[in-house]
């Protein structure tokens, strides 16, 4: 059992100002209070609160939390009272211990209604002071570590509760190590066979790859050092439970899991993070689609890091998390990293109030206060903890529960069909965001509505919920038909005008049988869809017509506006975020005076500030190109398909657009790192880096970078050109 002075030593290592007298008297008080009580293991009971306190010293927590841990079972299990603890240790500590006492007997896997009430009590106790949760989690961790001493019939229930409630809570608070250990301990209890088989395969792998982690660590460290970047590299195996979850999620076997090793690279500054990723990508081939920038966009629980996967030494796929020391602290300790309370500042606000994790907790509590039924609340909260749902809020606090991967469009339809149909944009937590973003629990979503009455048909492929999909299909069937009818009518009118033939409803009616259509609306719709050519309509109306009678000059495109589609004043572009590959084929845009589907030319790379044109394809819609795009040559002789469009960014806050640049850099160590650092420093988001050709002196790299607009892109190019190591930097357009 840990001695009194050992505990004080542990605390003093991270908190030199610790109140030694306070810790000593709490140690003595708890030891005396528990007296001769023993645990199921036969150990003196006092060993338990002591171990709980020790776990919390690993999280570097303040004196009050350590003392509360020592005392956490005294009110319930001994003669100690709140009043006495208050007198001896102060109100702050007494409140913490009382909070812990209140939640001690909560059974979180009981009958639905009771469980809901218990979970409510738990969350309320935590909301008072998040340190209650930290002690509770440490308490549960120690109980799980010593689970084998508990009677067999109780173990399953405790493990279940841990896996359902406490592990996700730890994760939600950003305490990943704690979450993983809780998960693994529960997993071992609940599915011993599966757990054992994964562990034995890990063991076999460890033997086969003996020393590999060390080799990779050393190679990474050396490579970064060569480029002048100081880094601490730590490698580890994935944990059994997370491996099992992945096998389940991807429906693959152990052998197919290629990235069983993860490495953390901890560097000094944010710039170093981007440098390091450049160095790593230069040295080893990287796995496409695995680069994630959680530095510019932190996760909900405050987690920040760059992620990438490379094929490292020994052709082993290696997952890398690159971050600064500070980010590492948050990644490991989560909310506890913020929970450094100033002793003596007893009634001050608790620090974690400004963290995202705490904001989530607060909102969950608010939801309780809103008075949804306990069962409903439980359903929501548990599902949330199970990770298969996200919980978002309207600006007035209404809770909207959605399946994971839901988008703001799903959110809008969940609020009301009309809201979905008229959505043109959204704000997530106050920031303008793409409508195709993936919502996270706790997001506050504000839908920006326009006067549109129908959604773009492309949304059908983006939404997750059945409600949204059904509403979109209903609305677009009508709207799309109206669009094609309008477009077809204009095309036919234009053909008649060109042929100097008068067009009338009767003539068209008379020609319908020849065109195998029932109504003129059907006819126009078919023309709009490209099923019937306008010339065929002319021929059907006037069988004598043989072709254009007047070969007038083609209308120049600067005048082109036959379709009445020129006024593009409300054109809004919505671009999918990076990492949303599966959605990038459908860009919901509305506003071109009607509801024709609009998309960007693939690899067009148009960014705001570029001059752009729309190319109309009957039956498909409008494709946006930057005016300098070589692909536009194809349409030179079809001026009727050109549309004047323009950006309308006035009412929107900055958003990022994908672009591509090519950089010729000198062949010298660290050149890629320098390039990546310049882009990072100037606010560009690197999506991907590919190495192009290489000569003796130079190598060419193609970089996908997200920028706000043309000015931003040009600023980055200029900064790159200013670097000694850069010979040329230019924009690439497909
Ligand atoms: Mn306990």
């Amino acid at each position: 059992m840990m001695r009194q002075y050992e505990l004080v030593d542990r605390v003093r290592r991270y908190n030199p100002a610790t109140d030694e007298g306070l810790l000593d008297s709490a140690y003595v008080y708890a030891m005396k209070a528990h007296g001769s009580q023993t645990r199921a293991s036969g150990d003196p009971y006092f060993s338990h609160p002591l171990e709980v306190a020790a776990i919390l010293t690993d999280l570097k927590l303040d004196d009050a939390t350590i003392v509360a841990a020592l005392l956490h079972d005294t009110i319930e299990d001994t003669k100690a009272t709140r009043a006495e603890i208050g007198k001896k240790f102060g109100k702050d500590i007494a409140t913490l211990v009382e909070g812990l006492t209140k939640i001690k007997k909560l059974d979180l896997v009981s009958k639905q209604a009771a469980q809901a009430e218990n979970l409510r009590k738990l969350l309320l106790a935590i909301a008072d002071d998040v340190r209650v949760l930290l002690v509770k989690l440490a308490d549960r961790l120690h109980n799980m570590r010593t689970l084998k001493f508990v009677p067999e019939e109780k173990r399953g229930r405790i493990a279940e509760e841990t896996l359902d409630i406490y592990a996700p809570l730890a994760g939600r608070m950003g305490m990943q190590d704690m979450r993983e250990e809780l998960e693994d301990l529960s997993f071992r209890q609940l599915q011993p066979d599966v757990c054992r088989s994964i562990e034995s395969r890990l063991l076999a792998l460890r033997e086969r790859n003996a020393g590999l982690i060390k080799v990779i660590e050393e190679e990474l460290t050396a490579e970064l050092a060569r480029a002048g970047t100081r880094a601490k590299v730590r490698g580890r195996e994935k944990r059994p439970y997370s491996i099992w979850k992945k096998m389940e999620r991807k429906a693959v076997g152990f052998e197919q899991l290629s990235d069983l090793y993860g490495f953390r690279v901890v560097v000094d500054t944010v710039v170093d993070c981007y440098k390091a990723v450049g160095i790593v990508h230069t040295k080893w081939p990287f796995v496409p689609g695995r680069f994630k920038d959680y530095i510019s966009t932190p996760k909900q629980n405050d987690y920040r890091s760059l992620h990438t996967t490379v094929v490292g030494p020994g052709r082993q796929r290696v997952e890398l998390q690159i971050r600064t020391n500070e980010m590492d602290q948050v990644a490991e300790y989560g909310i506890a990293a913020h929970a450094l309370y100033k002793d003596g500042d007893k009634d001050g606000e608790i620090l974690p109030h400004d963290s995202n994790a705490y904001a989530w907790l607060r909102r969950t509590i608010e939801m309780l206060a809103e008075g949804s039924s306990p069962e409903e609340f439980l359903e929501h909260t548990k599902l949330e903890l199970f990770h298969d749902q996200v919980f978002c809020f309207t600006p007035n606090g209404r809770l909207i529960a959605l399946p994971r991967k839901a988008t703001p469009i799903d959110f809008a339809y969940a609020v009301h069909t009309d809201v979905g149909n008229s959505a043109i944009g959204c704000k997530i937590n106050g920031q303008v965001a793409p409508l195709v973003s993936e919502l996270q629990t706790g997001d506050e979503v504000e839908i920006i509505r326009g006067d549109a009455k129908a959604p773009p048909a492309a949304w059908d492929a983006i939404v997750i919920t059945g409600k949204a999909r059904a509403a979109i299909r209903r609305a677009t069937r009508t709207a799309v038909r109206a669009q094609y009818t309008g477009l077809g009518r204009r095309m036919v009118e234009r053909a008649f005008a060109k042929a100097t033939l008068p067009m009338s409803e009767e003539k068209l009616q008379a020609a319908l049988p020849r065109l195998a259509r029932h109504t003129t609306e059907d006819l126009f719709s078919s023309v709009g869809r490209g099923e019937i050519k306008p010339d065929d309509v002319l021929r059907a109306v006037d069988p004598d017509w043989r072709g254009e009678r007047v070969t007038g000059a083609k209308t120049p495109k600067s005048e082109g506006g036959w379709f009445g589609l020129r006024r593009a004043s409300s054109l809004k572009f919505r671009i999918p975020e990076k990492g949303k590959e599966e959605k990038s084929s459908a860009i919901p845009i509305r506003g071109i005076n009607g509801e024709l589907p609009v998309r960007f030319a693939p690899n067009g790379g148009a960014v705001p500030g570029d001059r752009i044109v729309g190319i109309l394809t009957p039956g498909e819609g409008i494709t946006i190109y930057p005016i300098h795009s070589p692909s536009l040559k194809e349409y030179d002789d079809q001026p009727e398909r050109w549309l004047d469009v323009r950006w309308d960014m006035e009412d929107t806050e900055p958003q990022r657009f994908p672009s591509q640049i090519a950089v010729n850099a000198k062949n010298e160590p660290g050149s890629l790192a320098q390039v990546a650092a310049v882009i990072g420093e100037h606010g560009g988001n690197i999506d991907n880096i590919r190495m192009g050709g290489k000569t003796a002196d130079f190598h060419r790299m193609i970089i996908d970078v997200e920028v706000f607009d043309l000015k931003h892109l040009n600023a980055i190019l200029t900064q790159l050109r200013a670097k000694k190591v850069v010979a040329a930097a230019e924009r690439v357009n497909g």
Side-chain angles (χ1 to χ4, degrees), residues 215-524:
V215 168
I216 296 177
E217 274 178 4
E218 281 166 3
E219 273 204 45
L220 266 172
T221 313
E223 196 60 36
L224 291 169
R226 254 197 294 283
T229 305
R230 205 165 43 150
K232 274 177 285 177
V233 180
R234 273 172 298 151
R236 57 171 213 153
E237 276 168 10
K238 292 270 172 69
R239 311 279 286 247
Y241 184 72
S242 86
I243 290 173
W244 182 70
K245 286 291 274 188
K246 202 165 191 176
M247 287 165 61
E248 230 192 9
R249 199 169 56 239
K250 300 198 163 166
V252 297
F254 188 88
E255 296 299 334
Q256 282 125 295
L257 289 177
S258 41
D259 37 4
L260 294 165
Y261 297 105
F263 287 81
R264 292 176 185 171
V265 179
V266 178
V267 295
D268 292 334
T269 64
V270 172
V271 172
D272 284 344
C273 293
Y274 288 98
K275 265 192 199 169
V277 87
I279 295 163
V280 167
H281 282 184
T282 310
K283 171 84 182 175
W284 293 289
F286 64 92
V287 182
R290 296 294 298 265
F291 178 74
K292 300 256 161 56
D293 184 348
Y294 294 120
I295 291 183
S296 60
T297 322
K299 285 194 188 178
Q300 264 313 106
N301 58 14
D302 298 327
Y303 176 85
R304 298 170 78 206
S305 273
L306 297 179
H307 286 192
T308 190
T309 301
V310 298
V311 183
R315 301 210 42 79
Q316 185 68 44
R317 258 165 86 143
V318 168
E319 212 173 73
L320 294 167
Q321 302 172 341
I322 302 169
R323 55 202 184 215
T324 64
N325 244 314
E326 194 195 334
M327 295 173 196
D328 194 46
Q329 290 288 307
V330 174
E332 236 169 272
Y333 303 134
I335 203 161
H338 302 273
L340 298 167
Y341 305 87
K342 284 199 187 85
D343 285 314
D345 181 19
K346 302 295 185 206
D347 43 23
E349 272 287 283
I350 331 170
L351 276 175
H353 276 223
D354 57 7
S355 80
N356 278 325
Y358 200 78
W360 169 82
L361 194 58
R362 231 177 32 235
R363 273 191 287 249
T364 309
I365 308 292
E366 275 162 18
M367 191 173 102
L368 281 172
E370 261 188 31
S372 50
S373 80
E375 285 84 357
E376 207 182 325
F377 163 75
L378 174 72
E379 194 56 27
H380 288 167
T381 311
K382 251 180 78 180
L383 284 173
E384 135 72 9
L385 291 173
F386 274 130
H387 302 296
D388 55 6
Q389 285 220 319
V390 291
F391 289 83
C392 301
F393 297 84
T394 66
N396 12 341
R398 184 177 152 201
L399 172 80
I400 304 288
L402 295 163
R404 248 167 76 85
K405 295 192 180 294
T407 65
I409 306 173
D410 292 292
F411 181 94
Y413 279 100
V415 172
H416 196 280
T417 305
D418 290 344
V419 176
N421 283 344
S422 60
I424 55 166
C426 72
K427 286 185 181 178
I428 300 177
N429 302 321
Q431 297 284 314
V432 169
L435 279 168
V436 296
S437 311
E438 188 177 315
L439 291 175
Q440 307 290 329
T441 284
D443 280 348
E444 184 185 294
V445 185
E446 182 187 343
I447 298 295
I448 301 162
R449 299 174 66 180
D451 40 20
K453 301 214 166 32
W459 283 5
D460 184 30
I462 294 167
V463 296
I464 300 291
T465 52
K467 184 178 181 199
R469 184 156 297 144
I472 290 163
R473 290 197 177 152
R474 221 167 29 240
T476 50
R477 262 197 302 274
T478 342
V480 163
R481 191 181 158 83
Q483 290 156 26
Y484 286 127
T485 308
L487 175 61
R489 175 186 293 276
R490 286 189 290 271
M491 290 171 78
V492 171
E493 280 170 0
R494 173 65 201 159
F496 272 87
K498 233 172 159 181
T500 60
L501 279 173
M503 185 181 114
S504 74
E505 184 72 19
E506 297 93 80
K507 280 192 199 164
L508 286 176
Q509 287 279 358
L512 285 176
R514 254 166 284 164
L515 292 159
R517 292 296 181 274
H518 293 296
T519 64
T520 47
E521 198 179 302
D522 278 349
L523 172 60
F524 290 140

Side-chain angles (χ1 to χ4, degrees), residues 468-657:
R469 184 156 297 144
I472 290 163
R473 290 197 177 152
R474 221 167 29 240
T476 50
R477 262 197 302 274
T478 342
V480 163
R481 191 181 158 83
Q483 290 156 26
Y484 286 127
T485 308
L487 175 61
R489 175 186 293 276
R490 286 189 290 271
M491 290 171 78
V492 171
E493 280 170 0
R494 173 65 201 159
F496 272 87
K498 233 172 159 181
T500 60
L501 279 173
M503 185 181 114
S504 74
E505 184 72 19
E506 297 93 80
K507 280 192 199 164
L508 286 176
Q509 287 279 358
L512 285 176
R514 254 166 284 164
L515 292 159
R517 292 296 181 274
H518 293 296
T519 64
T520 47
E521 198 179 302
D522 278 349
L523 172 60
F524 290 140
S525 168
S526 301
V527 174
R529 286 176 195 281
E531 292 159 15
I532 298 179
K533 290 199 183 76
D535 280 2
D536 294 338
V537 180
L538 281 176
R539 259 186 291 276
V541 167
D542 179 359
D544 294 336
W545 185 76
R546 287 285 171 268
E548 286 186 40
R549 291 179 189 172
V550 181
T551 49
K554 281 175 181 169
T555 311
K557 57 197 167 204
S558 58
E559 247 178 62
W562 302 318
F563 304 132
L565 292 173
R566 293 187 65 192
R567 279 163 293 116
S569 58
S570 61
L571 183 63
K572 301 255 196 233
F573 296 100
R574 297 284 168 221
I575 304 223
E577 274 184 332
K578 64 194 166 84
K580 305 250 152 69
E581 298 86 351
E582 76 278 13
K583 291 172 180 172
S584 62
S585 58
I587 300 169
I589 294 171
R590 37 164 107 226
I592 302 194
N593 191 25
E595 294 293 335
L596 285 169
V598 179
R599 63 185 185 96
F600 282 100
N603 309 319
V607 302
D610 281 333
R611 281 189 56 209
I612 45 175
V613 291
I615 293 292
L616 185 79
T617 306
E620 276 178 28
I622 296 163
T623 309
I624 307 292
Y625 291 84
I627 194 90
H628 53 262
S629 168
S631 316
L632 284 171
K633 259 204 167 54
E634 247 182 85
Y635 307 104
D636 267 354
D637 55 348
Q638 303 168 67
E640 70 279 5
R641 294 179 62 186
W642 291 59
L643 293 174
D644 282 347
V645 292
R646 62 183 178 83
W647 299 90
D648 181 10
M649 307 294 295
E650 276 159 30
D651 302 333
T652 57
E653 275 170 46
Q655 51 175 309
R656 290 176 182 276
F657 295 82

Side-chain angles (χ1 to χ4, degrees), residues 45 48 52 72-73 104 139 143:
Y45 193 92
H48 165 67
V52 174
H72 81 270
D73 282 330
K104 188 162 186 262
D139 179 35
N143 286 336

